[in-house]
Amino acid sequence: MKENELRFLASLSVCPSDIKKLKTLIQTTEQDVDPLENLLFTPLFSSPYSLTIMKELSEHGKRIIFDSGGYYVQIGRLTYNQLYLPLLNIYRENTWANLYTLPDHVPTSQDGAEVVDIKVRDTVVNSTLFFQEIPDIIKSKVMPVVQGNSMRHMDLCLKAYIKLGVRWIGFGSFGTVGKNFESNVATQKTVDLARYVIDVAHSNDIKVHLFGLGVPALVAMLKGVKADSFDSSSWLKAAGFGQVFLPFLRAYNISHNIVTDTNFQRGITLDQFKQYKEITGHDCLFCRDIRGLQANKMYRAIHNLIVIHETVSMANSGKYEQIRRIYMAGSPKYRGEFEKWLQ
């Protein structure tokens, strides 16, 4: 990984058959980069066969990062205390991954101050204990996660993790929305906290990964705060809702002939889509087939995945004038992103 280079991890939580479909379709692309070169994978809630596929991908040079499954605690699938031992056993049995996320207790935007304090303490204490119990062979590959909503919380986590001597720290403290608070959002406060964590970590030669925040329109912010990597499953979730990405633009629904003002399911005409393709310079095998893109979820998923990689590549390459033009042509919500983060 080059110095000051932002890296995208595709969060992959689909069934083995879908993983196979993705691999097969990606082999037909004409892209210079491999959209599945960096993967975030949750072994605790995956089938043994999926884990075998991940190991095979690792053996073929893919970079596999194990997620802790804290998201499933967040949405109520299990309690935080139920996470520790199963996760520890999986890590002990699978020492081939590139990075291992330590168990974090994720606060939601609905939690009161006392609950957030408890979850932050849980995260720090259990991450420290977990680190002591994992095999020595993976101690250099762990990634504890900073949680909380204040500088006090950030400092509590950072002090403990720097003492462990880790090489990576994750930041998971973005706001949450949705039915089970399952989606992350970036507020000015959480972005300021993330930037503080990154500054402190970098001063101690530690890299920082930002969890669960990866739509193309936010890449200017991710690059601007000097994050080292980020992950997202948005490429797949958006595809399931009929939505497509383009570099540095918001998602648009292309599956139905609709153009609405709703924030989530805003549609786009085919003429507008072609215009945005020209502005962004994006062109891939899957969006050349517009009808196939409209009808096929996997086409949209891989198209979206390629778009995120292109977006990151443009930011890493310093193509700022092109990025500025794209933001100016896009959604009013994001027009200030360039001046704010990449100016």
Side-chain angles (χ1 to χ4, degrees), residues 302-323:
I302 299 174
H303 162 86
N304 290 346
L305 195 55
I306 292 169
V307 164
I308 297 179
H309 275 273
E310 283 185 0
T311 307
V312 171
S313 178
M314 290 169 67
N316 284 333
S317 300
K319 297 181 178 179
Y320 293 157
E321 189 53 44
Q322 182 182 4
I323 294 170

Side-chain angles (χ1 to χ4, degrees), residues 190-210:
T190 56
V191 171
D192 289 343
L193 292 176
R195 180 153 45 186
Y196 173 75
V197 168
I198 291 166
D199 289 345
V200 173
H202 283 181
S203 70
N204 287 274
D205 295 320
I206 300 171
K207 295 185 182 298
V208 178
H209 175 83
L210 303 185

Side-chain angles (χ1 to χ4, degrees), residues 17 39 119 202 218 266 314 343:
S17 63
L39 296 171
K119 289 184 174 181
H202 283 181
L218 292 178
R266 184 170 299 173
M314 290 169 67
Q343 182 70 13

Side-chain angles (χ1 to χ4, degrees), residues 5 7 68 98 118 122 125 150 156 176 191 230 240 244 253 266 277 300 304 315 341:
E5 181 179 71
R7 176 184 281 172
S68 68
N98 295 87
I118 291 170
D122 283 347
V125 170
S150 68
L156 181 66
T176 54
V191 171
F230 69 98
V244 290
N253 189 303
R266 184 170 299 173
K277 281 185 61 176
R300 294 191 297 274
N304 290 346
W341 300 110

Side-chain angles (χ1 to χ4, degrees), residues 9-24:
L9 280 62
S11 181
L12 199 60
S13 57
V14 293
C15 64
S17 63
D18 282 344
I19 295 174
K20 285 188 172 183
K21 289 177 188 175
L22 286 168
K23 288 173 59 181
T24 301

